[in-house]
Amino acid sequence: MSLKNIKNLILVVFLGFLLTACATSSRKPGKDYYTGSDTVKFLASGVPDRVFFATNRSSLHSGAKGTLNKQAAYIKSSGISVVVEGHADERGTREYNLALGERRANAVKDYLMSQGVASSKITVISYGKERPVNPESSRLAWSQNRRSVTVKSK
Amino acid sequence: MKKIFFILLIVFLNTNLNAAVKIDITRGNLEPLPAAVSDFYIDNPEKFSEGIKKLNLESNLPKVIKNNLKRSGLFYILDKKSHIQKPKLSHLKPRFEDWSLIKAQIMISGKIKIDEKGRLRVEFRLWDVVSAKEIEGLALFATPKSWRRIGHIISDKIYQRMTGEEGYFDTRIIYVAESGPKDRRIKKLAIMDQDGANNKFLTLGNELVLTPRFNPNSQLVTYMSYFKNLPRVYLLNIETGVQEIVGDFPGMTFAPRFSPNGNKVIMSFAKDGNSDIYTMDLKSRVVEQLTSHPSIDTSPSYSPDGRFVVFNSDRSGFQQLYVMRSDGRKVKRISRGKGLYGTPVWSPRGDLIAFTKIFKGKFYIGVMRTDGSGERLLTENFYQEAPSWSPNGRVLIFYRETAARKKGVGASSKLWSIDITGYNEVKLKTPSDASDPSWSSLLSK
């Protein structure tokens, strides 16, 4: 194998790492939120239904705020009411995760309200770790499961 | 209201306090005590109906006892095939040489009859083979269909006689039976005897149910249900099936437990992203707020004297354990080690707090003294949590999940128990996957 081939191989391996790193984001505390688009559905055209959280956190990173800005605009223009579901990954105790899911859903509710959505249009519910979207036990799956999902009220 | 069971009478035939054989359960038992459980003999087979005959009580009742003693980790049960003496003579006049020949240190014998009122009368004797003496003898009366409970009560008597502490065999476990894929899991409340027999489902699985816990003094259970998509704490009477919501909270209530006298439910109430601890008196309906802190406060558990509450809070930034007075004052952090701590449960003996610890991606079940000192981790695994105490404070039951591969393949959730010595880790048999176990008090108390 020539030196050039080896270089290419190393580059491919390196790019592979980068891609994985992008999908699950960073392993640093507070930064391991999911940044990919798998599992994401849409509340309306161009309006993603969910935002993701870092382990044990309920703070909204800038990407999440971008998504919620779109949600807020859509909720206001369409007049719909929504339910914000808060979820946690499976790497925590059940009861704490119920509280954490509630905290995440409320972080989203508060942000939507700060963008002008009326409080009466939003209800929250926490599912803790009970309803994962990806059932695998992996860092990627856990990052996809640490989420809030905004759905239209029935 | 139907009585589940009744024992009319327990007659003490003999209690000899000077036994040579004893078991120390405060240390891990590496050498279980060799015990022989003889088959019982039937005194009046002509009085046995076909239905009762089919139960094969002469071997199945001793089998219940054998399984209990074996699973306690304290006894080694000698193979029935090695027994030399027949059941009847073993009970009436044992030849101790025969039993000591097969290395038994204790021997259990018994007699079963149907009395004139149609009741089952079971007599058992516990023999100290080493000093060639009877050390315990009892006669129990019950309805024939309650025969397994007789086996459990006898097991408790043996355990108590040998260890000096109350047993935990005449008890039940309430838990969540799980089925279906992980992302659409179906969960039902289920109840079974502590040995896995008499499994029964209490809900149909139409809504998500979590964290059932026994009232220490009655047939009431408290649990969390997503009935009508409103996650709230409920009460269930397991005899009548009557369910009722606890309080009228404008948001999620969860993590319920009873106070030691059973009169209150302590739980978390989540509002606007903040969870605090509340109690509700079940008679007066008076609600009290115990914590008021912008952090998550959850998983409360009373001390057995009702004076303190241990709970889980992330007020330091991460999940840790705290103790407060039961009026909510004098909050003090007790967990000091590295890692996260959750699900604290106060031992019914009052001396220890069991917990789940998360450290470097692993989950541990551990115990610590009530001031946080003397932390001991009993078992490490990929995922396990939610310990619940045996009524004598010697054994913990918890659930353990396995890691899932793609699409959830390989996921499972099972109940396990472990002695607080760290020995005797045992998987419990359940008809389906299981989680959130809660151990009842002794039923006959």
Side-chain angles (χ1 to χ4, degrees):
Chain A
M1 199 186 274
S2 74
L3 193 63
K4 199 178 167 197
N5 277 344
I6 290 173
K7 264 189 185 163
N8 281 342
L9 187 67
I10 289 170
L11 193 64
V12 167
V13 170
F14 178 69
L15 282 175
F17 273 128
L18 264 188
L19 280 173
T20 323
C22 280
T24 61
S25 196
S26 151
R27 285 187 181 191
K28 278 185 199 153
K31 299 278 182 198
D32 60 346
Y33 47 82
Y34 181 64
T35 51
S37 58
D38 283 353
T39 73
V40 175
K41 290 178 182 155
F42 290 87
L43 199 54
S45 175
V47 186
D49 68 341
R50 65 196 61 199
V51 299
F52 300 96
F53 297 87
T55 300
N56 280 328
R57 304 291 172 101
S58 55
S59 50
L60 300 165
H61 57 88
S62 58
K65 286 178 183 167
T67 297
L68 295 179
N69 288 340
K70 291 178 193 164
Q71 288 187 5
Y74 172 68
I75 295 165
K76 282 188 288 181
S77 67
S78 64
I80 62 161
S81 294
V82 294
V83 178
V84 179
E85 303 172 353
H87 298 270
D89 67 30
E90 64 184 9
R91 303 305 286 165
T93 52
R94 191 185 311 288
E95 293 178 334
Y96 183 81
N97 276 348
L98 287 169
L100 185 58
E102 224 266 343
R103 194 192 253 173
R104 284 174 177 159
N106 274 285
V108 167
K109 180 183 177 182
D110 289 347
Y111 189 81
L112 292 175
M113 283 165 62
S114 78
Q115 299 305 303
V117 178
S119 160
S120 60
K121 294 280 184 189
I122 312 168
T123 47
V124 298
I125 184 167
S126 170
Y127 287 101
K129 63 170 187 163
E130 307 303 320
R131 291 286 178 260
V133 66
N134 184 342
E136 195 181 337
S137 301
S138 66
R139 282 179 194 281
L140 173 63
W142 297 332
S143 70
Q144 290 169 343
N145 292 335
R146 290 189 298 268
R147 70 201 193 276
S148 79
V149 183
T150 306
V151 296
K152 278 180 203 167
S153 308
K154 277 169 195 157
Chain B
M1 203 164 73
K2 197 180 73 186
K3 269 244 167 94
I4 294 179
F5 173 77
F6 82 128
I7 285 201
L8 284 164
L9 193 57
I10 299 179
V11 184
F12 285 82
L13 302 175
N14 188 359
T15 300
N16 186 332
L17 294 171
N18 304 309
V21 207
K22 271 206 177 115
I23 299 178
D24 180 1
I25 49 172
T26 59
R27 287 177 295 166
N29 235 85
L30 291 172
E31 278 187 60
L33 185 78
V37 182
S38 165
D39 269 0
F40 288 10
Y41 80 97
I42 309 270
D43 196 39
N44 54 352
E46 69 283 358
K47 292 274 171 61
F48 278 54
S49 68
E50 283 307 311
I52 299 177
K53 262 184 207 157
K54 269 192 206 137
L55 296 172
N56 288 323
L57 295 180
E58 65 281 10
S59 61
N60 281 336
L61 205 151
K63 201 167 161 189
V64 167
I65 300 169
K66 282 190 254 188
N67 284 341
N68 283 338
L69 298 181
K70 189 175 156 210
R71 275 186 307 113
S72 77
L74 303 176
F75 301 88
Y76 170 76
I77 305 298
L78 295 160
D79 190 346
K80 190 159 101 177
K81 287 189 201 117
S82 68
H83 298 184
I84 301 164
Q85 212 178 8
K86 292 273 178 292
K88 188 170 180 179
L89 274 178
S90 307
H91 188 64
L92 299 176
K93 198 174 184 307
R95 271 196 317 271
F96 292 106
E97 319 77 273
D98 285 6
W99 296 102
S100 100
L101 192 69
I102 62 167
K103 306 270 190 292
Q105 296 207 27
I106 58 166
M107 191 269 283
I108 291 125
S109 66
K111 176 170 97 171
I112 303 172
K113 69 187 277 187
I114 299 286
D115 75 358
E116 61 284 359
K117 291 178 187 158
R119 298 173 307 186
L120 197 63
R121 180 185 188 277
V122 180
E123 185 182 302
F124 93 97
R125 292 195 169 121
L126 170 62
W127 306 91
D128 179 343
V129 175
V130 178
S131 53
K133 282 196 283 218
E134 180 182 345
I135 49 176
E136 184 89 64
L138 276 183
L140 299 107
F141 297 78
T143 52
K145 65 173 186 175
S146 313
W147 66 273
R148 293 190 71 92
R149 275 203 61 198
I150 295 187
H152 294 315
I153 292 171
I154 293 174
S155 308
D156 282 330
K157 294 294 171 195
I158 297 166
Y159 183 98
Q160 188 168 12
R161 196 64 192 76
M162 299 312 300
T163 66
E165 300 210 4
E166 227 159 38
Y168 53 82
F169 301 116
D170 186 27
T171 55
R172 294 194 283 182
I173 310 281
I174 192 164
Y175 68 97
V176 171
E178 303 193 359
S179 59
K182 225 167 138 186
D183 49 351
R184 279 165 287 138
R185 204 73 162 150
I186 292 166
K187 298 198 173 192
K188 301 174 191 175
L189 293 187
I191 191 167
M192 63 185 186
D193 297 348
Q194 55 71 34
D195 63 353
N198 294 322
N199 191 83
K200 201 169 84 178
F201 297 106
L202 301 172
T203 62
L204 298 170
N206 295 331
E207 59 273 326
L208 187 61
V209 291
L210 304 170
T211 64
R213 273 93 190 231
F214 275 111
N215 184 318
N217 309 310
S218 71
Q219 297 295 323
L220 271 186
V221 163
T222 183
Y223 68 105
M224 185 204 188
S225 170
Y226 277 72
F227 183 62
K228 290 186 176 164
N229 243 4
L230 295 170
R232 297 289 188 276
V233 168
Y234 283 77
L235 295 175
L236 165 67
N237 185 315
I238 49 179
E239 277 186 28
T240 61
V242 173
Q243 302 185 35
E244 115 183 65
I245 196 163
V246 175
D248 181 22
F249 290 89
M252 177 171 73
T253 47
F254 61 109
R257 277 183 202 279
F258 286 99
S259 59
N261 62 13
N263 297 343
K264 283 182 183 178
V265 169
I266 190 165
M267 64 201 145
S268 283
F269 164 47
K271 193 172 186 304
D272 303 330
N274 175 32
S275 298
D276 281 314
I277 293 170
Y278 287 71
T279 59
M280 194 182 98
D281 188 292
L282 296 177
K283 282 208 189 89
S284 67
R285 308 264 141 187
V286 171
V287 170
E288 265 186 274
Q289 181 173 0
L290 297 193
T291 67
S292 178
H293 196 280
S295 66
I296 289 173
D297 294 339
T298 190
S299 301
S301 166
Y302 274 102
S303 62
D305 61 8
R307 291 172 59 215
F308 298 96
V309 171
V310 63
F311 65 102
N312 192 197
S313 174
D314 65 359
R315 57 187 64 190
S316 71
F318 296 98
Q319 272 178 281
Q320 296 291 338
L321 307 184
Y322 294 79
V323 168
M324 63 183 168
R325 276 187 359 202
S326 56
D327 61 2
R329 300 171 72 173
K330 303 232 164 137
V331 178
K332 200 180 104 197
R333 176 169 161 180
I334 60 161
S335 57
R336 296 270 165 214
K338 284 181 181 161
L340 308 182
Y341 293 79
T343 75
V345 215
W346 214 299
S347 157
R349 300 165 69 92
D351 55 346
L352 295 171
I353 287 165
F355 56 85
T356 307
K357 177 171 177 160
I358 310 168
F359 182 56
K360 289 193 173 170
K362 292 279 187 187
F363 283 68
Y364 302 80
I365 304 293
V367 292
M368 59 173 67
R369 287 197 280 274
T370 59
D371 62 358
S373 66
E375 175 177 323
R376 284 190 297 123
L377 300 178
L378 307 177
T379 163
E380 175 198 305
N381 214 274
F382 166 74
Y383 186 91
Q384 54 193 356
E385 67 143 327
S388 170
W389 290 94
S390 65
N392 71 352
R394 290 293 176 191
V395 187
L396 292 167
I397 186 171
F398 55 95
Y399 78 95
R400 177 179 286 174
E401 289 177 355
T402 53
R405 299 188 295 279
K406 283 223 180 325
K407 296 193 162 58
V409 174
S412 79
S413 181
K414 300 288 179 198
L415 305 186
W416 289 75
S417 69
I418 192 165
D419 291 4
I420 55 165
T421 54
Y423 290 100
N424 197 32
E425 199 168 317
V426 181
K427 185 162 141 182
L428 278 78
K429 275 188 200 139
T430 44
S432 65
D433 271 10
S435 61
D436 292 1
S438 168
W439 211 319
S440 79
S441 309
L442 279 174
L443 299 175
S444 44
K445 264 187 113 174

